Amino acid sequence: MPAAKTFTQLLAELGAHGAGPRRAARAHEVSTLIASLLASCRTVAVEARANGVAFRLRGATESAKEFSLTCVLHHPAGTGPLTTAEQAVADRLCEGRTLAQIAHLRGVSSNTIKSQVRQIFRKLNVNSRVELVRKMVT
């Protein structure tokens, strides 16, 4: 199956980027196991997201038990582009506004803003507002 082959290749590449032969061997073991599980799978949904891609697979085990598997592949830190909403929140953070002020301005809950701030920090690979301002200015 193409999904199994692609997934196996992905895991092999991840192992190759690791810290040596032990990690590569472990990735090969895992990829072989997952490839055998995915051999009977078919893709039932694919969804592009701002921070990566999500897909759902369906298949059956050797004992005919059906299963569904949802996988999310995220961009590595610092590589995902900010969404329009995240960019607006980042701009307000750089202005020195509080989370509550940003939530009020955008008409959303402060939990939504907290979540967007976490995504912004992850995508831009920063840990504080000061680092965010420095990254946004340069």
Side-chain angles (χ1 to χ4, degrees):
M1 277 262 154
K5 183 177 179 186
T6 302
F7 196 73
T8 302
Q9 289 172 342
L10 175 65
L11 285 174
E13 288 172 15
L14 289 173
H17 293 297
R22 186 173 181 197
R23 186 174 192 150
R26 180 74 176 144
H28 179 71
E29 290 174 26
V30 171
S31 67
T32 303
L33 177 65
I34 292 174
S36 66
L37 179 65
L38 295 179
S40 68
C41 288
R42 63 185 170 85
T43 305
V44 293
V46 177
E47 175 186 338
R49 297 183 179 182
N51 61 341
V53 103
F55 58 95
R56 187 174 323 119
L57 304 172
R58 286 218 174 110
T61 63
E62 291 177 4
S63 60
K65 278 192 142 183
E66 290 190 16
F67 66 90
S68 176
L69 175 68
T70 301
C71 302
V72 180
L73 302 176
H74 292 281
H75 292 293
T79 61
L82 294 181
T83 65
T84 307
E86 290 167 347
Q87 185 63 53
V89 170
D91 292 342
R92 300 300 82 74
L93 285 171
C94 290
E95 292 171 0
R97 299 193 185 262
T98 66
L99 297 181
Q101 289 171 333
I102 298 169
H104 179 73
L105 286 170
R106 300 205 34 87
V108 296
S109 76
S110 38
N111 285 334
T112 299
I113 299 301
K114 287 177 191 176
S115 175
Q116 289 173 331
V117 169
R118 278 193 301 272
Q119 289 295 333
I120 292 165
F121 280 21
R122 183 187 61 78
K123 287 180 178 181
L124 298 180
N125 201 21
V126 297
N127 295 311
S128 69
R129 289 180 187 219
V130 173
E131 287 181 43
L132 174 66
V133 170
R134 286 183 183 146
K135 191 135 197 168
M136 297 287 285
V137 170
T138 58

